[in-house]
Short mmCIF file of all heavy atoms in Angstrom, two decimals:
data_model
loop_
_atom_site.label_atom_id
_atom_site.label_comp_id
_atom_site.label_asym_id
_atom_site.label_seq_id
_atom_site.Cartn_x
_atom_site.Cartn_y
_atom_site.Cartn_z
N PHE B 1 16.40 38.00 -25.67
CA PHE B 1 15.02 37.75 -26.09
C PHE B 1 15.07 36.82 -27.29
O PHE B 1 15.65 37.16 -28.32
CB PHE B 1 14.32 39.06 -26.48
CG PHE B 1 12.90 38.89 -26.94
CD1 PHE B 1 11.97 38.23 -26.16
CD2 PHE B 1 12.50 39.39 -28.17
CE1 PHE B 1 10.66 38.06 -26.59
CE2 PHE B 1 11.20 39.25 -28.62
CZ PHE B 1 10.26 38.58 -27.82
N PHE B 2 14.49 35.62 -27.12
CA PHE B 2 14.49 34.68 -28.24
C PHE B 2 13.31 33.74 -28.14
O PHE B 2 12.67 33.60 -27.09
CB PHE B 2 15.81 33.90 -28.32
CG PHE B 2 16.05 32.91 -27.20
CD1 PHE B 2 15.51 31.63 -27.23
CD2 PHE B 2 16.85 33.26 -26.13
CE1 PHE B 2 15.75 30.73 -26.21
CE2 PHE B 2 17.11 32.35 -25.10
CZ PHE B 2 16.55 31.09 -25.14
N PHE B 3 13.04 33.08 -29.25
CA PHE B 3 12.04 32.02 -29.32
C PHE B 3 12.71 30.73 -29.74
O PHE B 3 13.52 30.72 -30.66
CB PHE B 3 10.94 32.36 -30.33
CG PHE B 3 10.08 33.53 -29.92
CD1 PHE B 3 10.38 34.82 -30.34
CD2 PHE B 3 8.96 33.35 -29.13
CE1 PHE B 3 9.60 35.90 -29.98
CE2 PHE B 3 8.17 34.41 -28.76
CZ PHE B 3 8.48 35.69 -29.18
N ASN B 4 12.37 29.65 -29.06
CA ASN B 4 12.81 28.32 -29.45
C ASN B 4 11.66 27.65 -30.19
O ASN B 4 10.65 27.28 -29.58
CB ASN B 4 13.23 27.50 -28.23
CG ASN B 4 13.85 26.17 -28.61
OD1 ASN B 4 13.48 25.55 -29.62
ND2 ASN B 4 14.80 25.70 -27.81
N VAL B 5 11.82 27.53 -31.50
CA VAL B 5 10.74 26.99 -32.33
C VAL B 5 10.46 25.54 -31.96
O VAL B 5 9.31 25.09 -31.93
CB VAL B 5 11.11 27.11 -33.83
CG1 VAL B 5 10.01 26.55 -34.70
CG2 VAL B 5 11.38 28.57 -34.19
N ALA B 6 11.51 24.79 -31.65
CA ALA B 6 11.35 23.37 -31.36
C ALA B 6 10.56 23.11 -30.08
O ALA B 6 9.72 22.23 -30.02
CB ALA B 6 12.72 22.70 -31.29
N SER B 7 10.84 23.91 -29.05
CA SER B 7 10.17 23.69 -27.77
C SER B 7 8.95 24.58 -27.57
O SER B 7 8.26 24.47 -26.54
CB SER B 7 11.15 23.93 -26.62
OG SER B 7 11.57 25.29 -26.60
N ASP B 8 8.68 25.47 -28.54
CA ASP B 8 7.53 26.37 -28.45
C ASP B 8 7.61 27.23 -27.20
O ASP B 8 6.65 27.37 -26.44
CB ASP B 8 6.22 25.56 -28.48
CG ASP B 8 4.99 26.43 -28.71
OD1 ASP B 8 5.12 27.52 -29.31
OD2 ASP B 8 3.90 26.04 -28.26
N THR B 9 8.77 27.83 -26.98
CA THR B 9 9.02 28.60 -25.77
C THR B 9 9.66 29.94 -26.11
O THR B 9 10.52 30.02 -26.99
CB THR B 9 9.96 27.82 -24.82
OG1 THR B 9 9.34 26.59 -24.47
CG2 THR B 9 10.26 28.62 -23.55
N GLY B 10 9.24 30.98 -25.41
CA GLY B 10 9.89 32.27 -25.50
C GLY B 10 10.68 32.55 -24.23
O GLY B 10 10.27 32.15 -23.14
N VAL B 11 11.81 33.21 -24.37
CA VAL B 11 12.66 33.55 -23.23
C VAL B 11 13.01 35.04 -23.29
O VAL B 11 13.41 35.54 -24.36
CB VAL B 11 13.95 32.70 -23.21
CG1 VAL B 11 14.89 33.17 -22.10
CG2 VAL B 11 13.62 31.23 -23.03
N LEU B 12 12.85 35.72 -22.16
CA LEU B 12 13.19 37.14 -22.07
C LEU B 12 13.97 37.37 -20.79
O LEU B 12 13.55 36.92 -19.72
CB LEU B 12 11.93 38.00 -22.09
CG LEU B 12 12.10 39.52 -22.19
CD1 LEU B 12 10.88 40.14 -22.89
CD2 LEU B 12 12.26 40.16 -20.81
N THR B 13 15.11 38.05 -20.90
CA THR B 13 15.94 38.35 -19.74
C THR B 13 16.08 39.85 -19.56
O THR B 13 16.30 40.58 -20.53
CB THR B 13 17.34 37.71 -19.87
OG1 THR B 13 17.20 36.29 -19.91
CG2 THR B 13 18.23 38.09 -18.69
N LEU B 14 15.94 40.30 -18.32
CA LEU B 14 16.17 41.69 -17.95
C LEU B 14 17.39 41.75 -17.05
O LEU B 14 17.50 41.01 -16.07
CB LEU B 14 14.97 42.26 -17.18
CG LEU B 14 13.61 42.28 -17.88
CD1 LEU B 14 12.53 42.71 -16.89
CD2 LEU B 14 13.63 43.21 -19.08
N ASP B 15 18.32 42.65 -17.37
CA ASP B 15 19.43 42.95 -16.49
C ASP B 15 19.09 44.21 -15.70
O ASP B 15 18.72 45.24 -16.31
CB ASP B 15 20.72 43.16 -17.28
CG ASP B 15 21.40 41.85 -17.61
OD1 ASP B 15 20.78 40.78 -17.43
OD2 ASP B 15 22.56 41.89 -18.07
N CYS B 16 19.23 44.14 -14.38
CA CYS B 16 18.87 45.27 -13.52
C CYS B 16 20.09 45.67 -12.68
O CYS B 16 20.35 45.07 -11.62
CB CYS B 16 17.70 44.91 -12.62
SG CYS B 16 16.17 44.54 -13.52
N PRO B 17 20.85 46.67 -13.12
CA PRO B 17 22.03 47.10 -12.36
C PRO B 17 21.65 48.05 -11.22
O PRO B 17 20.72 48.84 -11.33
CB PRO B 17 22.87 47.83 -13.42
CG PRO B 17 21.85 48.34 -14.40
CD PRO B 17 20.72 47.35 -14.42
N ASP B 18 22.38 47.92 -10.13
CA ASP B 18 22.33 48.87 -9.02
C ASP B 18 20.93 49.02 -8.42
O ASP B 18 20.51 50.13 -8.05
CB ASP B 18 22.85 50.24 -9.48
CG ASP B 18 23.24 51.12 -8.32
OD1 ASP B 18 23.68 50.59 -7.28
OD2 ASP B 18 23.13 52.36 -8.44
N LEU B 19 20.20 47.90 -8.28
CA LEU B 19 18.92 47.97 -7.60
C LEU B 19 19.14 48.27 -6.12
O LEU B 19 20.06 47.75 -5.48
CB LEU B 19 18.16 46.64 -7.74
CG LEU B 19 17.43 46.38 -9.05
CD1 LEU B 19 16.82 44.99 -9.06
CD2 LEU B 19 16.35 47.43 -9.29
N ASP B 20 18.27 49.12 -5.59
CA ASP B 20 18.43 49.62 -4.22
C ASP B 20 17.11 49.42 -3.47
O ASP B 20 16.07 49.90 -3.91
CB ASP B 20 18.79 51.11 -4.31
CG ASP B 20 19.11 51.74 -2.96
OD1 ASP B 20 18.53 51.31 -1.94
OD2 ASP B 20 19.92 52.67 -2.93
N PHE B 21 17.16 48.69 -2.36
CA PHE B 21 15.97 48.41 -1.56
C PHE B 21 16.17 48.96 -0.15
O PHE B 21 17.21 48.74 0.48
CB PHE B 21 15.72 46.89 -1.45
CG PHE B 21 15.47 46.22 -2.77
CD1 PHE B 21 16.52 45.80 -3.56
CD2 PHE B 21 14.18 46.01 -3.22
CE1 PHE B 21 16.30 45.18 -4.77
CE2 PHE B 21 13.94 45.39 -4.44
CZ PHE B 21 15.01 44.98 -5.21
N GLU B 22 15.14 49.64 0.35
CA GLU B 22 15.21 50.20 1.71
C GLU B 22 13.85 50.03 2.37
O GLU B 22 12.81 50.33 1.77
CB GLU B 22 15.60 51.67 1.66
CG GLU B 22 15.76 52.30 3.03
CD GLU B 22 16.27 53.73 2.97
OE1 GLU B 22 16.37 54.28 1.85
OE2 GLU B 22 16.55 54.30 4.04
N SER B 23 13.86 49.55 3.61
CA SER B 23 12.58 49.34 4.30
C SER B 23 12.79 49.26 5.82
O SER B 23 13.92 49.13 6.31
CB SER B 23 11.93 48.02 3.84
OG SER B 23 12.64 46.91 4.37
N THR B 24 11.67 49.34 6.53
CA THR B 24 11.62 48.93 7.93
C THR B 24 11.12 47.50 7.92
O THR B 24 9.99 47.23 7.51
CB THR B 24 10.68 49.84 8.74
OG1 THR B 24 11.14 51.19 8.65
CG2 THR B 24 10.64 49.40 10.19
N ARG B 25 11.94 46.58 8.34
CA ARG B 25 11.69 45.16 8.12
C ARG B 25 11.26 44.45 9.41
O ARG B 25 11.86 44.64 10.47
CB ARG B 25 12.93 44.49 7.54
CG ARG B 25 12.80 43.01 7.27
CD ARG B 25 14.00 42.48 6.51
NE ARG B 25 13.99 42.94 5.11
CZ ARG B 25 14.96 42.68 4.24
NH1 ARG B 25 16.02 41.98 4.62
NH2 ARG B 25 14.87 43.12 2.99
N THR B 26 10.24 43.63 9.25
CA THR B 26 9.80 42.74 10.33
C THR B 26 10.25 41.32 10.00
O THR B 26 9.98 40.83 8.91
CB THR B 26 8.28 42.77 10.49
OG1 THR B 26 7.87 44.11 10.80
CG2 THR B 26 7.82 41.84 11.61
N LEU B 27 10.94 40.70 10.93
CA LEU B 27 11.40 39.32 10.77
C LEU B 27 10.60 38.46 11.73
O LEU B 27 10.55 38.73 12.93
CB LEU B 27 12.89 39.23 11.09
CG LEU B 27 13.64 37.91 10.84
CD1 LEU B 27 15.15 38.17 10.91
CD2 LEU B 27 13.29 36.81 11.84
N ILE B 28 9.96 37.39 11.20
CA ILE B 28 9.19 36.47 12.02
C ILE B 28 9.90 35.11 11.98
O ILE B 28 9.97 34.47 10.93
CB ILE B 28 7.75 36.34 11.51
CG1 ILE B 28 7.10 37.72 11.43
CG2 ILE B 28 6.94 35.41 12.42
CD1 ILE B 28 5.78 37.75 10.70
N GLN B 29 10.43 34.70 13.12
CA GLN B 29 11.18 33.45 13.20
C GLN B 29 10.25 32.32 13.65
O GLN B 29 9.57 32.44 14.67
CB GLN B 29 12.34 33.59 14.18
CG GLN B 29 13.28 32.41 14.21
CD GLN B 29 14.05 32.26 12.89
OE1 GLN B 29 14.67 33.21 12.43
NE2 GLN B 29 13.99 31.09 12.29
N HIS B 30 10.25 31.22 12.87
CA HIS B 30 9.38 30.08 13.17
C HIS B 30 10.20 28.95 13.80
O HIS B 30 11.35 28.71 13.41
CB HIS B 30 8.72 29.57 11.89
CG HIS B 30 8.09 30.64 11.06
ND1 HIS B 30 7.00 31.37 11.48
CD2 HIS B 30 8.41 31.13 9.83
CE1 HIS B 30 6.66 32.25 10.54
NE2 HIS B 30 7.51 32.13 9.54
#
């Protein structure tokens, strides 16, 4: 998490360990 004074920008990073996704998935092929 930091601010760059020169570019007037804020930056925030989140680290997310061991994310788990489960679903019944529909795939539509074009």
Side-chain angles (χ1 to χ4, degrees):
F1 179 54
F2 69 83
F3 293 93
N4 187 327
V5 180
S7 64
D8 193 25
T9 300
V11 174
L12 188 151
T13 297
L14 300 173
D15 277 11
C16 296
D18 199 31
L19 281 176
D20 185 329
F21 298 85
E22 183 175 7
S23 73
T24 301
R25 180 172 288 177
T26 300
L27 187 167
I28 305 169
Q29 187 67 53
H30 311 293

